[in-house]
Amino acid sequence: MDTAQLDAAGREERAARARSLVERMAAERIAAIALTFVDTAGITRAKGVPLAAFEHAAAWGVGATPVFDAFGVDDSIAATTVANPTGDLRLLPDLDRLVALAAQPGWAWAPADRWTQEGGPHPGCARLLAARTVDRLADAGLTARAAFEVEWVVYRAADGEPEPAATGPAYGMTRLVELSDYGVDLLRALAAEGVDVRQFHPEYTPSQFELSVAPEPPVAAADTAVLVRTTIRAVAARHGLAVSFAPSVADPGVGNGGHLHVSLDRDGRNVFSGGDGRFGLTPEAEAFTAGILDRLPALLAVGAPSVASYLRLLPSHWAGAYACWGRENREAAVRLVTGSHGEETTAANVEVKCFDQAANPYLVIAGVLAAGLAGLDEGDTLPEPVHADPAGLPDDERARLGVERLPTDLATAVAAFEAEPALTGAFGPALTETLLAVRRAEADTFAGRTAAEIIAATRWRW
Ligand code: GLU
Ligand code: MG
């Protein structure tokens, strides 16, 4: 959406579109629409409007305080100069993404952009930032496609210590039997919502599941991540179950990742295949990937943004704890996926594995694309690929390959972000300030707390 759409003619056009959407929703017995945005701490915040108020909301937006930008994972509010209690913003629903929520009968949902009362883009709006970063890629002649993987753990909704709902083995068919109705209701709900699910499977950790979706334009991929998680939670609630997307759910244990897949097209051709570089990479795909790899410590402040993230980001936990890349290497933070022979042109992409779902997916899109763009600007190249678990390599071999452990705590990642001009420049001063303030406040809040305490405090937050 560009600013022109917020002039009088643009508002009238949005109102007219909303009127026809309201008619359709009334026929589908929709009574309320949830407008969501994701805050700096990765929490999806919402405002609901009744059907009768949707037309006005579409044209003029719904009020929201800018102080949401400074909210922490525990709903505390970090001190900043930009996200203060005065002033007001407007949440404008994306009318192209309005969808009936299949597991919340009577509700529809639309992701929202945040605008100022004066009709300009709010500098702290993560979704608009993601869209602007996609535009920068377009200026370079490139179109990105992206997809977020979702992992979660299903519990019996119980007081006290949460009890895993499925007891079968990792990747076991047993789990699909144990939660058979839940699984099929989830897939039906997502299909009804137009989500193109590619795979749903039991994961490693007790009662953990994973779902992957088809690639989409990057902002749509972030929207889908919000919709999929909302649906997973809503279907679970209808089955008397509760879900956790938190980075870490047990110590010790393998956590919930939020891996991001990205590919790039130039002139309708995937630049991650058919090139003369290693594994078919073109120079553009290599430079883009190298731009991301070089900036991973800083990107962690975006993609692994919680103190809890560092309980997950451990060597040999499939989380990608080392800054290296490799073809189909699940212990490399950056995994090159080439696809099967014959389908490389559609399947080849790069997967960033070190991220989790405490992250705001719009900020992840903005950060990763900005890092890739910086790599393209610099004509960056990749080091030697790594074909083994870096944790198992002798120290001298790791040193020879230049493979370093990623930050092991939030404060180190935040310092790297602050020192990375490609990211602070893309995010702008206001968003940079709030991001740093929210992360540092969280690090202070949890300083000295045990892993078990951090897990208990964050399990149900995202
Ligand atoms: N659960 C792992 C993580 O924390 C990922 C497992 C996988 O490779 O899918 O990222
Ligand atoms: Mg997985």
Side-chain angles (χ1 to χ4, degrees), residues 17-263:
R17 285 198 57 204
R19 276 194 292 278
S20 73
L21 290 167
V22 166
E23 243 173 68
R24 209 183 73 199
M25 285 191 279
E28 289 176 36
R29 306 181 69 78
I30 300 291
I33 300 99
L35 273 47
T36 61
F37 65 96
V38 184
D39 73 8
T40 320
I43 292 182
T44 301
R45 310 269 179 190
K47 290 248 177 162
V49 291
L51 189 61
F54 188 67
E55 181 186 328
H56 186 269
W60 295 96
V62 172
T65 166
V67 88
F68 283 134
D69 286 335
F71 268 44
V73 67
D74 57 352
D75 293 343
S76 62
I77 300 173
T80 68
T81 61
V82 285
N84 56 54
T86 56
D88 207 21
L89 299 171
R90 292 291 174 266
L91 297 179
L92 270 105
D94 185 336
L95 301 179
D96 291 324
R97 196 62 208 253
L98 181 73
V99 61
L101 291 176
Q104 291 171 255
W107 280 94
W109 162 85
D113 292 316
R114 293 184 298 155
W115 293 77
T116 66
Q117 282 172 295
E118 288 68 40
H122 169 48
C125 178
R127 193 169 185 270
L128 288 172
L129 171 66
R132 282 197 302 276
T133 318
V134 170
D135 289 346
R136 283 176 56 204
L137 261 185
D139 292 343
L142 292 162
T143 314
R145 287 182 306 152
F148 286 92
E149 289 180 11
V150 178
E151 293 186 327
W152 73 101
V153 177
V154 186
Y155 298 98
R156 302 256 161 245
D159 296 335
E161 194 57 26
E163 185 196 334
T167 55
Y171 311 102
M173 179 62 194
T174 307
R175 285 195 201 167
L176 294 188
V177 177
E178 290 177 278
L179 293 185
S180 186
D181 291 349
Y182 168 67
V184 85
D185 281 356
L186 174 60
L187 293 178
R188 279 200 183 112
L190 290 167
E193 292 168 351
V195 176
D196 188 354
V197 174
R198 290 293 165 89
Q199 208 184 104
F200 165 59
H201 67 268
E203 252 291 345
Y204 185 77
T205 283
S207 206
Q208 189 183 38
F209 292 83
E210 173 174 339
L211 191 136
S212 52
V213 296
E216 295 174 272
V219 176
D223 291 337
T224 296
V226 172
L227 176 62
V228 166
R229 283 187 243 167
T230 299
T231 305
I232 287 171
R233 173 172 283 122
V235 174
R238 293 174 80 76
H239 285 263
L241 301 167
V243 293
S244 174
F245 301 100
S248 180
V249 292
D251 175 55
V254 172
N256 289 316
H259 310 172
L260 172 71
H261 291 261
V262 191
S263 65

Side-chain angles (χ1 to χ4, degrees), residues 310-388:
Y310 298 84
L311 301 174
R312 163 190 170 261
L313 193 55
L314 301 174
S316 308
H317 280 57
W318 297 332
Y322 284 90
C324 60
W325 75 289
R327 180 186 183 203
E328 303 295 3
N329 184 347
R330 286 177 173 75
E331 284 298 342
V334 172
R335 167 187 172 207
L336 180 69
V337 180
T338 53
S340 301
H341 184 52
E343 67 160 5
E344 295 93 336
T345 49
T346 48
N349 69 83
V350 67
E351 177 185 22
V352 185
K353 292 200 58 134
C354 48
F355 298 161
D356 61 60
Q357 296 162 95
N360 175 325
Y362 304 99
L363 293 183
V364 167
I365 290 292
V368 165
L369 296 186
L373 274 161
L376 283 165
D377 277 351
E378 292 160 4
D380 216 346
T381 54
L382 285 165
E384 251 186 75
V386 174
H387 299 299

Side-chain angles (χ1 to χ4, degrees), residues 287-303:
F288 181 83
T289 306
I292 296 167
L293 182 61
D294 284 352
R295 289 168 182 79
L296 280 182
L299 281 169
L300 283 187
V302 181

